[in-house]
Amino acid sequence: MRFTVNRDVFSEAVSFAAKLLPQRPTQPLLSGVLLEVAGDAVTLSSFDYEVSSRTSVTAQVADAGRALVSGRLLGEIAQRLPHADVEVSLVESRVQVRCGSASFSLPAMPVEEYPQVPKIDTVSGIVPADVFAEAIAQVSLAASKDDVTPVITGVQFEISENALTLTATDRYRVATRRIDWESQDGSSDLTALVPSKVVTEVGKTFSNAGQVQVSIVKDGERELVAFTGGNKTVTSLLIKGNYPPVGRLFPDGIDNYAVVNTSDLVEAVGRVGLVLEREAALRFSFVEGQVTLEAAGSETAQAVEVVDAHLVGDEMIVSLKPQFLLDGLRSTHAEFARVGFTRTDNPGKPGPVLITSQRSKDDADEQSFRYLLQPNLLLR
């Protein structure tokens, strides 16, 4: 095996292939990146039996062949190579990397023992890459980081005839976003629970791809999803289990809400929250014309700030964890945010707060993004 390739092209390809490699692989082989050289292209792949990455780049091929080499090490080397064409070759059991005056010799792993990287030929649907990336950024942060309940560590994909809805929760908040979906195989009412780590990386990687092809395969033997944009593909096994019915937590309508300037409230929460101890909540008092933020920290530290707000309906007092609130406000991606108040059977206890985006003080958005938050657990 021997080929020559542009340094920047090679570095980007290796970085992509190695990005989703496991931190602690169950086998040394699974820490590798597979180089497959044929025709005028090099295909770089990684696979750990759960997640795979694959990309192909054009190269000057002298000898076709395959080699398996440490992905992390090759990625670090590729990022630091001088600005010259890169020559990669397999000599006996060593992978040689030469670029300008730099030369590296890496041990090759037994390629014949490497698992078959998944290939999916069908396409379920297509989504605009930029909108898909924005939706992922808005929703995935609400997924649980606690592996004790694996089912809520993922992002739920729900596909109807012409829409894809992404949903995530960690029990304390629920984020959901609906985007357009162009079906390619005529199927609808599909669901897929995808690990949030994979979804987040897909959003970053494919944001400028123009469009992303999404394939969901459930054929008995395997349940997986594939994302393809340009010359890159990521596949992942789906998380098994029933996703909690968090959609029913969202109210049908809200007539008691406040409209605030998003950046003003974000900055105020950041300032007032400085005196709070960890896990403590901020107190928000909404009246017509303003919202007052109050924080009581350790010993005698206190903070108060007032932000302009337009209130519709009754005055309201709620206590919310600042970081969860900031996540919701920032995810609106709008100049103004609507903070909606729901009711509970207990008149003295406010229900969950619904955060949505608003184009102006008076003009509500279509609410394709919704973020439901309360201090107490949403799920039991």
Side-chain angles (χ1 to χ4, degrees):
M1 180 198 79
R2 184 159 59 92
F3 64 89
T4 303
V5 64
N6 176 275
R7 182 260 188 202
D8 292 339
V9 170
F10 182 65
S11 177
E12 182 192 7
V14 175
S15 175
F16 167 74
K19 197 169 290 183
L20 288 169
L21 283 171
Q23 294 290 336
R24 289 178 289 275
T26 54
Q27 305 172 31
L29 283 177
L30 303 184
S31 67
V33 164
L34 179 65
L35 306 174
E36 298 176 284
V37 183
D40 62 351
V42 180
T43 300
L44 299 91
S45 312
S46 65
F47 183 42
D48 67 351
Y49 292 108
E50 293 185 4
V51 180
S52 79
S53 301
R54 177 195 295 267
T55 185
S56 294
V57 296
T58 302
Q60 298 175 11
V61 175
D63 297 305
R66 301 198 307 162
L68 182 65
V69 67
S70 168
R72 302 286 181 204
L73 183 54
L74 185 63
E76 290 177 1
I77 290 171
Q79 289 179 9
R80 291 168 171 80
L81 290 173
H83 289 278
D85 286 345
V86 183
E87 181 183 292
V88 181
S89 59
L90 177 64
V91 181
E92 296 180 348
S93 60
R94 310 286 296 183
V95 173
Q96 311 285 344
V97 180
R98 294 185 178 87
C99 181
S101 58
S103 179
F104 297 86
S105 177
L106 313 178
M109 293 184 274
V111 69
E112 62 277 1
E113 298 177 19
Y114 197 69
Q116 182 70 38
V117 180
K119 290 186 179 180
I120 298 178
D121 300 323
T122 60
V123 177
S124 302
I126 296 173
V127 290
D130 55 347
V131 178
F132 188 44
E134 181 187 43
I136 288 171
Q138 290 175 305
V139 170
S140 60
L141 52 73
S144 175
K145 309 298 188 293
D146 186 357
D147 291 336
V148 173
T149 312
V151 73
I152 59 173
T153 62
V155 175
Q156 174 82 338
F157 284 53
E158 295 178 88
I159 296 164
S160 61
E161 186 175 347
N162 57 7
L164 165 63
T165 302
L166 306 179
T167 305
T169 185
D170 59 4
R171 287 195 178 98
Y172 296 95
R173 67 259 180 90
V174 182
T176 184
R177 170 74 191 272
R178 182 180 182 274
I179 65 175
D180 291 338
W181 168 267
E182 182 183 332
S183 179
Q184 295 297 294
D185 59 6
S187 60
S188 59
D189 299 324
L190 282 173
T191 61
L193 186 52
V194 189
S196 61
K197 174 187 174 183
V198 175
V199 176
T200 300
E201 206 54 61
V202 163
K204 294 175 182 177
T205 300
F206 296 131
S207 59
N208 297 315
Q211 63 181 25
V212 178
Q213 297 177 346
V214 183
S215 306
I216 297 172
V217 177
K218 296 184 178 181
D219 58 12
E221 292 184 7
R222 58 180 186 170
E223 293 190 357
L224 51 83
V225 62
F227 304 96
T228 300
N231 63 342
K232 298 180 174 70
T233 297
V234 171
T235 73
S236 172
L237 291 182
L238 301 180
I239 298 174
K240 294 185 177 180
N242 295 319
Y243 200 69
V246 292
R248 68 186 183 189
L249 297 171
F250 288 93
D252 293 331
I254 288 183
D255 53 14
N256 187 188
Y257 61 87
V259 178
V260 295
N261 181 285
T262 308
S263 61
D264 288 351
L265 187 55
V266 165
E267 290 175 8
V269 170
R271 282 189 292 267
V272 177
L274 290 173
V275 304
L276 284 179
E277 294 180 344
R278 188 178 179 184
E279 299 300 319
L282 275 178
R283 176 186 170 98
F284 297 82
S285 302
F286 290 88
V287 298
E288 176 49 41
Q290 67 182 46
V291 52
T292 302
L293 290 68
E294 300 173 85
S298 60
E299 299 178 353
T300 58
Q302 296 179 340
V304 177
E305 185 164 346
V306 176
V307 176
D308 291 343
H310 170 58
L311 181 67
V312 174
D314 300 333
E315 296 181 357
M316 186 64 64
I317 297 176
V318 293
S319 293
L320 302 169
K321 291 189 176 181
Q323 189 55 56
F324 285 173
L325 175 63
L326 289 174
D327 285 345
L329 292 172
R330 289 170 176 150
S331 294
T332 60
H333 296 173
E335 183 179 359
F336 295 94
R338 175 181 288 203
V339 182
F341 309 109
T342 63
R343 304 289 182 179
T344 64
D345 296 334
N346 183 350
K349 181 182 178 183
V353 168
L354 179 63
I355 297 173
T356 54
S357 58
Q358 186 144 326
R359 288 187 291 268
S360 68
K361 286 185 177 180
D362 305 312
D363 189 7
D365 206 341
E366 297 176 355
Q367 297 191 4
S368 60
F369 168 72
R370 296 183 297 164
Y371 184 93
L372 195 68
L373 166 65
Q374 75 172 22
N376 302 315
L377 290 177
L378 287 165
L379 306 175
R380 298 298 183 189

